[in-house]
Amino acid sequence: MGRRRRRRRVDPADAARALPEAIAALSQTLPAGPSPETFRRAKFDRPEAAPALWRLLFRVLSPQLADGASASFSPEAQVRSVKLALRTQGYPRRALAQLPDDGSQGGRELLLALAWLLARGPLPERLLTQNRVQLGDEMPVCECEALASPGPPAPSVEADGCVDIRHLQWLMGKLRFRWRNLMASQQEQCALLGKIHSYTRGCHSDRSLGHLSVTETELLRDPEGGRQLLQRLERENARLQAALEWRRRELVFWRWMDTVLGACPPEASQPTFLPRIPTPGTGALEPLVRELQALQGELREAVEARRAAWEAGVGGRGPEWSAARTALREAVGQDLAALRQACEQGGSCSLAQPHGPHRLVRTEAGVAGGPGLRAPEVIEALRSQEARLEVVLRQLQGQCRQELARLVGAPPGPVWILPPGR
Amino acid sequence: MDTTFTLLAGSLRRLVAELRDALDSCAERQRQLERSLRVSRRLLRAWEPAETLAPEPTPGPETNEEAQSAACIPSPQDLKELELLTQALEKAVRVRKGISKAGEGNKAPSLKSGSIVTSPATRASAPPRTSHRAGSRASETKPPRGIRQTRVPTKDLPECRLLSVGDQACMGQGAGDTKPKSGLRNEQIVLSAASQAPEAFTLKDKGILLQLPEAFRKAASRNSRLWAQLSSTQTSDSVDAATTAKMQFLQKMQTTSGWPGPRLSATEVEAEVRHLQKACLLLRLRMGEELMADPQDWMQEYRCLLTLEELQAIVGQCLHRLRELCTVPRSCRPWRPSGCGWPCCTSRSTWKRS
């Protein structure tokens, strides 16, 4: 901020200010951020710093809660929730788990936990993204988010182990009905969006957008709601600004955190009574390794057999052979590119374009559009993905039939399986 | 047989859980859609004038005059004169456009700015707009055109713009002008003026008259600018130094803690395992396809061989990744703004009318 150019070295007053300013920026960008003074007290493990930091960690670790909802959790509940969330994420220090549940102690340990979260990933950016003010009509272009969610919890063992097949049929029918309703509602929404976009064309100050979105039109219809939206926008702007400030200044914070860590007494190397949280993933790890190894074995056998047959065979000799071979290799590479991508990437989305929801913008035919995706291309990509998934589904169904037949002990003939429907 | 039944029973219970989960998320999505639909339907009906009673005075010297004159209701005399003037202007624009678009053919009917498009031309509340903008929009019959082309006439007729500022002061008009210095109104003036009329505001008729308030526009553009700044990958010295400092801090945390703890978080391991399970399935299915295929000639045979070899390589890589999961500590990865958890904030999807 106030750099004095007449001196070449950094003014000590500036250096002293750098840390509180960095912390102030951090506080401002995080929800429920405490003052720099609280951070300082936390370093010395002062008890008055603890409650504020527990609250901060609670807000940071459960961002899906609305602003006011955290008040409905008691301090003890917040403390327990923070401890659980940190352990699930793999927080290494035991001392935090040993802190009392009433939230009265542990300032320094909480400070370390916050720094740990900040160091592992772009925490302020992620929080801002999750609660972002949406100004446009957002449309998802892939199902990554939905698929990345953990799914239903493992069902508890029920008293009677039998599930009536009719119950399953009923659930399936209900689901199909809800899908149809969803489709109809979605189509209606698109039609309405189309009308609103065309009625407000030319109204947007941003020429590349050209028309208003529902949110923007709504704020014009309802000025009170518009004022609230404006306030939210301005609050978000302040937090964004603070996040940028933080990025510029964070180095001095990390140097300070080293001293905080140094001020802690070293922990004993043997864990005594704390039970490990059973990581569900590791349970499924072993079977998966075995499955992959089995697959590898089968492939190896098949490859060896065919290679041998090939070498012994007559085809594929001569000068034109090497050209053909290269061409074939390329073709196979391309053929399997999608599969390879699906296996390598962290997600199941095969769209090569940016993920996440996009703002829907209507452009007139013939006008070159701005940056972003073109709807026909997205539709094409989604259709081909749908086709691929259909193929996989049919193959899986075939596998299931065979498996069932094997279990029942009958030859794989006509097994009466209820039609899945379309 | 018993184990078979318990296996099946377990699968059935999982299936029921999945179905219930799907039903819940369907219901949630339906609720969200219903909310959006309610809002959209309400927007397309006539808007309640009661909500738009007191227009806020917009700050800024250029709008002061207009704010003062906002209270005035234009007299019928003024309106008639304005109408005549506007018609004359439109004619002028028509002539100019006729000359300028001689080579364009017939594809820009909206640029002719022929008739005054807003049909309530004689109504006190919604007087005809200045021609060069009015003609290009709001017509239900003419195909909508790109906005860029309509800016040309504004440059040609500066005198019209002055007038338009003037008449806007009284009529509370304005839409679609990018230059804020022209002092365009707060849209609430439009709506309050509209409420004087016997008919209420409908988006269909007067949607193009809308304009976002100044304060909101500023905040929104600042917002998108800040998001762009935040998501741009900065590679400066300070950023690299900070990254190094963070990694060192993490390592120190790990070594000074009394409990080694899992290297990767449980959720991450789970996600990775699920992903690799799916990959395994896909690979097995593909292998099945290749093994069942019946090669007709040597080329197909070789192709089959190559495919199987490639599959073998991919499986090897998956196994390698799986083994890494157990051993390699998590590293501080640089922030990538286009991953799944970070919706691309500056991209927009476009939909074209084919």
Side-chain angles (χ1 to χ4, degrees), chain A residues 83-101:
Chain A
K83 285 186 183 177
L84 182 62
L86 281 172
R87 287 185 63 206
T88 315
Q89 291 206 25
Y91 185 64
R93 291 178 66 90
R94 269 188 310 129
L96 190 118
Q98 291 167 334
L99 290 171
D101 274 0

Side-chain angles (χ1 to χ4, degrees), chain A residues 231-249:
Chain A
Q231 277 172 5
R232 279 178 58 207
L233 204 54
E234 281 171 351
R235 275 202 297 270
E236 182 173 288
N237 285 353
R239 282 181 64 187
L240 284 167
Q241 188 73 53
L244 287 166
E245 268 303 299
W246 163 247
R247 283 278 155 236
R248 278 200 289 273
R249 293 167 185 275

Side-chain angles (χ1 to χ4, degrees), chain B residues 32-160:
Chain B
Q32 288 170 356
L33 259 181
E34 293 286 337
R35 270 200 299 270
S36 313
L37 279 172
R38 266 198 301 274
V39 172
S40 304
R41 282 186 205 123
R42 193 172 52 193
L43 282 176
L44 286 167
R45 289 197 292 264
W47 292 12
E48 303 290 311
E51 291 154 338
T52 63
L53 276 178
E56 287 175 2
T58 33
E62 75 275 15
T63 54
N64 264 348
E65 282 180 278
E66 297 159 340
Q68 284 158 17
S69 54
C72 75
I73 313 281
S75 69
Q77 171 82 7
D78 292 338
L79 285 173
K80 281 216 175 56
E81 284 179 17
L82 188 62
E83 215 181 295
L84 288 169
L85 188 57
T86 324
Q87 279 170 357
L89 287 171
E90 279 183 3
K91 197 165 174 184
V93 170
R94 223 178 305 149
V95 170
R96 287 204 194 204
K97 277 335 277 180
I99 298 169
S100 70
K101 72 169 189 62
E104 274 181 43
N106 203 21
K107 58 177 163 70
S110 55
L111 289 177
K112 278 196 223 121
S113 55
S115 61
I116 301 171
V117 183
T118 47
S119 51
T122 51
R123 264 195 265 157
S125 60
R129 318 229 0 263
T130 49
S131 56
H132 50 271
R133 277 200 297 272
S136 59
R137 302 188 195 106
S139 163
E140 290 298 299
T141 54
K142 297 192 178 130
R145 291 296 302 164
I147 305 308
R148 291 182 197 98
Q149 289 155 335
T150 65
R151 295 181 69 188
V152 175
T154 62
K155 289 195 200 116
D156 290 341
L157 303 164
E159 66 278 16
C160 290

Side-chain angles (χ1 to χ4, degrees), chain A residues 122 129 132 178 185 202 207 209 218 227 237 241 267 269 340 342-343 345 355 359 361 373 375 395, chain B residues 23 30 41-42 56 147 176 187 217 222-223 227 258 275 289 310 321 335 340 342 345 348-350:
Chain A
T129 310
R132 187 172 173 177
R178 284 199 186 170
S185 303
R207 283 299 181 195
L209 294 176
E218 178 68 10
R227 269 191 285 279
N237 285 353
Q241 188 73 53
E267 293 199 324
S269 56
R340 193 176 254 285
C343 296
Q345 271 181 359
H355 297 202
R359 177 169 178 158
V361 169
L373 308 169
Q395 285 174 333
Chain B
L23 281 165
Q30 185 74 31
R41 282 186 205 123
R42 193 172 52 193
E56 287 175 2
I147 305 308
E187 77 303 342
R217 273 201 302 227
R222 185 152 183 257
N223 188 267
W227 275 110
H275 170 67
E289 269 175 38
E310 182 78 12
R321 262 175 79 188
W335 178 230
C340 243
W342 179 263
C345 48
R348 300 180 184 93
S349 62
T350 57

Side-chain angles (χ1 to χ4, degrees), chain B residues 327-343:
Chain B
T327 52
V328 171
R330 186 204 162 106
S331 60
C332 196
R333 289 193 293 268
W335 178 230
R336 281 184 328 273
S338 57
C340 243
W342 179 263

Side-chain angles (χ1 to χ4, degrees), chain A residues 382-401:
Chain A
L382 286 172
R383 282 213 178 109
S384 54
Q385 194 180 27
E386 183 188 357
R388 273 198 300 273
L389 288 171
E390 288 262 5
V391 169
V392 173
L393 177 65
R394 268 194 277 281
Q395 285 174 333
L396 285 172
Q397 283 170 340
Q399 263 195 343
C400 281
R401 269 186 217 110

Side-chain angles (χ1 to χ4, degrees), chain A residues 174-371:
Chain A
K174 197 169 161 185
L175 188 60
R176 263 185 236 120
F177 179 69
R178 284 199 186 170
W179 281 340
R180 277 201 298 269
N181 283 354
L182 210 54
M183 269 300 293
S185 303
Q186 188 80 57
Q187 282 179 327
E188 188 188 345
Q189 170 74 332
C190 284
L192 294 182
L193 278 180
K195 280 192 182 152
I196 292 175
H197 290 184
S198 74
Y199 294 164
T200 60
R201 59 191 179 285
C203 297
H204 209 286
S205 46
D206 181 348
R207 283 299 181 195
S208 59
L209 294 176
H211 60 74
L212 302 180
S213 69
V214 166
T215 313
E216 289 159 343
T217 318
E218 178 68 10
L219 88 90
L220 291 174
R221 186 194 72 86
D222 174 22
E224 181 51 42
R227 269 191 285 279
Q228 287 172 1
L229 182 66
L230 185 59
Q231 277 172 5
R232 279 178 58 207
L233 204 54
E234 281 171 351
R235 275 202 297 270
E236 182 173 288
N237 285 353
R239 282 181 64 187
L240 284 167
Q241 188 73 53
L244 287 166
E245 268 303 299
W246 163 247
R247 283 278 155 236
R248 278 200 289 273
R249 293 167 185 275
E250 62 175 321
L251 189 55
V252 63
F253 175 81
W254 293 113
R255 292 200 187 118
W256 181 66
M257 281 311 300
D258 271 341
T259 68
V260 174
L261 195 50
C264 284
E267 293 199 324
S269 56
Q270 281 297 97
T272 48
F273 51 82
L274 232 44
R276 292 273 294 264
I277 284 191
T279 48
T282 50
L285 209 59
E286 272 309 309
L288 180 58
V289 171
R290 280 198 296 271
E291 237 182 274
L292 280 171
Q293 282 173 334
L295 186 59
Q296 198 179 40
E298 287 175 50
L299 278 167
R300 201 181 313 128
E301 269 182 47
V303 164
E304 277 169 8
R306 281 169 199 245
R307 203 21 100 187
W310 177 258
E311 299 296 328
V314 195
R317 301 283 183 266
E320 75 277 7
W321 163 236
S322 46
R325 186 169 56 178
T326 334
L328 275 176
R329 247 186 228 289
E330 257 183 56
V332 165
Q334 270 181 11
D335 214 14
L336 292 177
L339 183 60
R340 193 176 254 285
Q341 208 181 39
C343 296
E344 281 175 7
Q345 271 181 359
S348 51
C349 187
S350 56
L351 285 181
Q353 36 221 7
H355 297 202
H358 285 59
R359 177 169 178 158
L360 199 58
V361 169
R362 177 190 171 124
T363 57
E364 309 308 336
V367 175

